[in-house]
Amino acid sequence: MEDRVRVVIAEDSVLLREGLTRLLTDRGHDVVAGVGDAEALLKTVDELAAEGALPDVVVADVRMPPTHTDEGVRAAVRLRRTHPGVGVLVLSQYVEEQYATELLAGSSTGVGYLLKDRVADVREFLDAVVRVARGGTALDPEVVAQLLGRSRKQDVLAGLTPREREVLGLMAEGRTNSAVAKQLVVSDGAVEKHVGNIFMKLGLSPSEGDHRRVLAVLAYLRS
Amino acid sequence: MDGGGAVAGRAGGAGWTGRPEGAGREGGTGRAGRGFGGVLLAPVSARAWREFAYVLLSLPLAVAYFSAAITGLSLAAGLLVTFVGIPVLAGVLLMCRGFGWLERARARVMLGAEVADPEPLLTGRPGAGAGGRRGVLGAVAALLKSGSAWRHAVYAVVWFPWAVFAFCTALTLWTTAWSLLLYPLWFWVFPVFTDQPGLQLFQDGDRTLHLDSPAEVALAGFAGLVLVLAAPWVVRGLAAVDLLLVRGLLGPSLLAHRVCELESDRGVVVDTAAADLRRIERELHDGAQARLSALAMGLGLAKEKAAEDPEAAARLVGEAHGEVKLALKELRDLARGIHPAVLTDRGLDAALSSVASRCAVPVAVAVDLPERPAPAIEGIAYFTVCELLRNVSDHAGATAAHVDVWKSGPRLLVRVADDGRGGARPGSGGTGLAGLAERLGAVDGVLVVDSPDGGPTTVTAELPWRSR
């Protein structure tokens, strides 16, 4: 596996923690630690940082002890402030656009927010882990749908063709042009054309790089 | 039920007995002590004097209330043919409510008796629609419809004759008593300043009786003493009748009390329902949902491996199969926790036997019911036993327990007894007895805990019987 990443897992259900570990190690990734709550997560990452062995990405459950509410999100937001180099992928039984907004606030490299169910699509999930570890974005389609649905720019969005909306959604999930092309079974060139049209219709200046492009789209949808 | 039991919840029954609670505390300030000394000191106790003053003050107030109320009511009655009578009537009722406020304050200060305010006229519901009209018209309508306002008016009228009687009785009794008691000190006044030898008791033709011999004077003094000692109790009785009137006519109605109680019960029910939903969500999230996620993960991995490593894939599918069976069991347990099917199908006997068989200690179950109660009552009885048996397993350290369910009159009785270490208290950590008592209270049930330190523990729940 050419894309080996170092992962810390924070998940209170032992069952899922083991499952995730197996999933990741099976694909040659390196699970450096598995913890059961947010406090242990922060401590572990701090310790690893002190040893100069920062993980590439942290995979964290939203609901963890002691209150079983949003510890994972709060820990993730803190990690992004204290260790900007570490990607954070948050998993949850339910996705809420509000949490996504909190995660994406400020610097927004290396963030992911996925439904736990996505783990079942092993390849896609592993893609997302690697993408976040490399500083990319991975947003759950449901979050993107919520963002699109709640955006106040409905009139502009209505001006997009159905295919352009599809591309916008996939782009907002954090996918690269080629990934979008593969998903929609079209050529890379066609996707590039769609992206260009979308940016024009939304009035955004086309920016280089997949990642900045995602940010532009998300910022547009949230504003 | 037997002595020494701590009663949690409250006496339910028809719900009308023993009310109004909290409003009925007899003031204890200046309480004349029990026993002989108390009886001797009663005439000079502060409480006796306050009660005497209360009865004396009643007359002028009663005269004022009576004349104001009668005048106002007659005026309003006369004017009722025109529209003007209605606001006048409302004004009179409002005035009577004012009297009531004064009387309650007087009862509080002078008799030390708390009488709760009656239900407010305009129940505060901001933004209420047609039902909650505001302004003068709304206030007039509320006054005319208010049962308590009319009771206040009745009080202003019927209190008057009683106040006159109480005033005369109390004043006569006190003056006679004290003057007789002190008679030995002032009987010399008669021969010196009048042409009588002493106080004249009666005159019949030429036969007269004057209290002038030493024996007669002493007898008069003794009679005075008896009256002085009796007077405070008589006055207390008069004041108690007053207080009855104040409570009955100026306090909140029984209905209002019941409404308050039901409101708080409804709060408990809503809270309980919300807590149950949270619990179910938590159990789903931590149990079946997590297991199914892991299962999906395992099957996903197996799918990936199916081509390259069929053996590993087969192993993963085998593990997933085991996970599915566990998830099913968890869902089954959860469903049983929400509502056990056997309870619906076969009733308490079967359902409780099933619970008992899963309890950590041997439990004997005896259900003796002529018929099945209403589903709601059945459900509460069932979950009460579940909770109590969980306590037995977790806290009691018992070696055996038995559950009895029977019907007694209009009540369903549930008793769980164990031979454990005892010491269970409603409200002590982790036993959930207080919560249980609250839930039972919501249906007018009672929980009685008898659990001396060292055991054994008997918890009895009493529920109203409702037939299905």
Side-chain angles (χ1 to χ4, degrees):
Chain A
M1 301 280 142
E2 70 286 3
D3 247 347
R4 286 189 49 151
V5 294
R6 292 160 45 75
V7 190
V8 172
I9 298 174
E11 159 69 63
D12 61 318
S13 160
V14 179
L15 201 64
L16 285 181
R17 195 161 70 215
E18 303 283 299
L20 284 171
T21 308
R22 188 166 69 179
L23 211 65
L24 289 164
T25 46
D26 195 70
R27 291 289 139 160
H29 297 301
D30 190 6
V31 176
V32 287
V35 295
D37 62 78
E39 212 168 295
L41 169 66
L42 293 174
K43 213 174 121 221
T44 306
V45 173
D46 283 342
E47 280 168 10
L48 287 171
E51 292 165 21
L54 262 183
D56 297 311
V57 62
V58 168
V59 177
D61 186 10
V62 169
R63 270 168 68 155
M64 282 189 285
T67 66
H68 290 278
T69 52
D70 61 344
E71 285 82 2
V73 171
R74 276 185 278 137
V77 168
R78 228 177 104 190
L79 274 183
R80 289 172 47 64
R81 211 175 47 239
T82 50
H83 304 286
V86 180
V88 180
L89 176 60
V90 175
L91 296 180
S92 173
Q93 288 296 0
Y94 326 93
V95 289
E96 291 298 337
E97 181 244 334
Q98 183 62 42
Y99 289 165
T101 308
E102 281 169 32
L103 282 171
L104 291 166
S107 125
S108 8
T109 49
V111 191
Y113 183 42
L114 293 179
L115 262 185
K116 263 187 193 168
D117 308 8
R118 309 293 172 209
V119 176
D121 290 319
V122 176
R123 199 167 299 161
E124 292 222 358
F125 172 69
L126 292 173
D127 274 354
V129 172
V130 173
R131 201 156 74 225
V132 171
R134 299 281 173 257
T137 314
L139 279 190
D140 198 90
E142 275 200 25
V143 177
V144 174
Q146 284 187 23
L147 280 171
L148 284 168
R150 284 187 204 171
S151 174
R152 269 168 290 167
K153 311 254 170 74
Q154 290 302 334
D155 43 340
V156 183
L157 291 176
L160 300 179
T161 66
R163 177 58 77 155
E164 282 165 0
R165 286 166 69 89
E166 253 177 310
V167 173
L168 177 68
L170 290 169
M171 216 158 59
E173 284 172 29
R175 290 170 204 263
T176 59
N177 273 1
S178 53
V180 172
K182 219 165 116 194
Q183 179 87 15
L184 298 179
V185 203
V186 293
S187 70
D188 282 16
V191 171
E192 266 168 41
K193 212 177 92 214
H194 285 312
V195 170
N197 284 343
I198 293 168
F199 272 72
M200 200 181 66
K201 286 186 183 173
L202 302 188
L204 297 172
S205 57
S207 45
E208 290 302 310
D210 296 328
H211 170 61
R212 284 176 54 202
R213 195 181 64 176
V214 172
L215 289 186
V217 171
L218 292 177
Y220 174 78
L221 290 176
R222 287 211 311 269
S223 66
Chain B
M1 302 290 249
D2 22 31
V7 180
R10 30 144 242 263
W16 297 85
T17 47
R19 306 291 195 284
E21 53 199 272
R25 193 174 40 80
E26 205 69 49
T29 44
R31 178 185 317 169
R34 297 268 173 270
F36 192 57
V39 174
L40 277 186
L41 287 175
V44 290
S45 70
R47 179 179 173 185
W49 285 100
R50 274 204 311 274
E51 283 163 350
F52 185 53
Y54 177 85
V55 172
L56 291 193
L57 198 55
S58 290
L59 183 68
L61 285 171
V63 170
Y65 298 166
F66 180 80
S67 35
I70 288 293
T71 313
L73 289 173
S74 337
L75 183 66
L79 288 173
L80 263 186
V81 285
T82 68
F83 172 73
V84 187
I86 294 170
V88 171
L89 187 57
V92 173
L93 290 176
L94 188 63
M95 177 179 74
C96 291
R97 274 184 76 100
F99 297 159
W101 178 83
L102 193 63
E103 279 310 297
R104 283 192 301 274
R106 217 159 63 87
R108 186 167 53 244
V109 172
M110 302 184 79
L111 302 180
E114 273 314 321
V115 179
D117 287 345
E119 52 275 26
L121 281 178
L122 299 165
T123 37
R125 219 175 263 177
R133 277 165 301 163
R134 282 282 181 270
V136 178
L137 270 184
V140 166
L143 268 166
L144 293 182
K145 280 191 295 187
S146 156
S148 77
W150 285 101
R151 279 187 288 122
H152 279 66
V154 169
Y155 176 83
V157 175
V158 303
W159 186 46
F160 172 66
W162 173 254
V164 172
F165 170 76
F167 177 86
C168 299
T169 311
L171 193 63
T172 313
L173 188 60
W174 273 75
T175 46
T176 312
W178 283 101
S179 50
L180 275 182
L181 178 65
L182 301 177
Y183 185 66
L185 300 179
W186 58 274
F187 77 99
W188 55 266
V189 169
F190 289 95
V192 174
F193 294 103
T194 69
D195 51 0
Q196 292 185 346
L199 187 64
Q200 181 184 348
L201 266 192
F202 72 89
Q203 180 168 28
D204 178 19
D206 53 353
R207 285 197 306 128
T208 56
L209 178 57
H210 294 284
L211 301 173
D212 49 357
S213 74
E216 282 166 347
V217 169
L219 203 61
F222 180 72
L225 180 67
V226 171
L227 285 180
V228 161
L229 288 179
W233 306 103
V234 174
V235 171
R236 186 159 305 170
L238 296 172
V241 174
D242 265 42
L243 205 54
L244 272 181
L245 276 173
V246 171
R247 287 226 174 94
L249 293 171
L250 304 184
S253 65
L254 285 173
L255 195 59
H257 252 281
R258 183 69 179 148
V259 167
C260 277
E261 196 180 285
L262 288 177
E263 273 180 356
S264 107
D265 284 349
R266 189 183 58 179
V268 169
V269 170
V270 171
D271 289 348
T272 307
D276 279 345
L277 284 179
R278 270 199 304 279
R279 176 181 61 81
I280 291 166
E281 196 267 352
R282 268 293 296 281
E283 280 178 17
L284 270 177
H285 177 270
D286 296 346
Q289 225 170 14
R291 211 165 275 287
L292 285 174
S293 291
L295 174 68
M297 219 182 315
L299 283 177
L301 201 57
K303 199 175 90 186
E304 295 282 310
K305 279 187 182 285
E308 56 196 64
D309 188 356
E311 235 172 75
R315 203 178 59 246
L316 283 167
V317 168
E319 282 173 22
H321 185 215
E323 288 288 317
V324 151
K325 284 191 277 189
L326 283 173
L328 276 175
K329 182 185 174 302
E330 268 170 20
L331 281 175
R332 199 165 53 234
D333 287 347
L334 182 64
R336 183 157 45 206
I338 297 168
H339 193 87
V342 66
L343 179 61
T344 320
D345 300 343
R346 296 283 177 272
L348 274 175
D349 199 349
L352 292 181
S353 301
S354 151
V355 176
S357 67
R358 278 178 278 132
C359 188
V361 296
V363 182
V365 179
V367 177
D368 177 19
L369 296 175
E371 52 178 333
R372 288 181 62 182
I377 298 298
E378 213 171 38
I380 293 173
Y382 172 82
F383 285 109
T384 302
V385 173
C386 286
E387 180 80 28
L388 291 173
L389 283 182
R390 194 172 311 143
N391 283 346
V392 170
S393 303
D394 296 352
H395 304 288
T399 58
H402 52 97
V403 176
D404 296 286
V405 181
W406 73 100
K407 187 188 173 191
S408 168
R411 314 288 280 172
L412 172 67
L413 287 142
V414 177
R415 186 172 61 203
V416 176
D418 67 66
D419 60 353
R421 67 175 76 94
R425 303 274 177 275
S428 69
T431 58
L433 283 175
L436 205 52
E438 262 189 0
R439 287 181 197 208
L440 286 169
V443 291
D444 282 335
V446 199
L447 188 73
V448 183
V449 180
D450 178 28
S451 182
D453 288 321
T457 300
T458 306
V459 181
T460 310
E462 207 182 307
L463 289 157
W465 178 276
R466 286 210 300 270
S467 295
R468 49 175 60 216

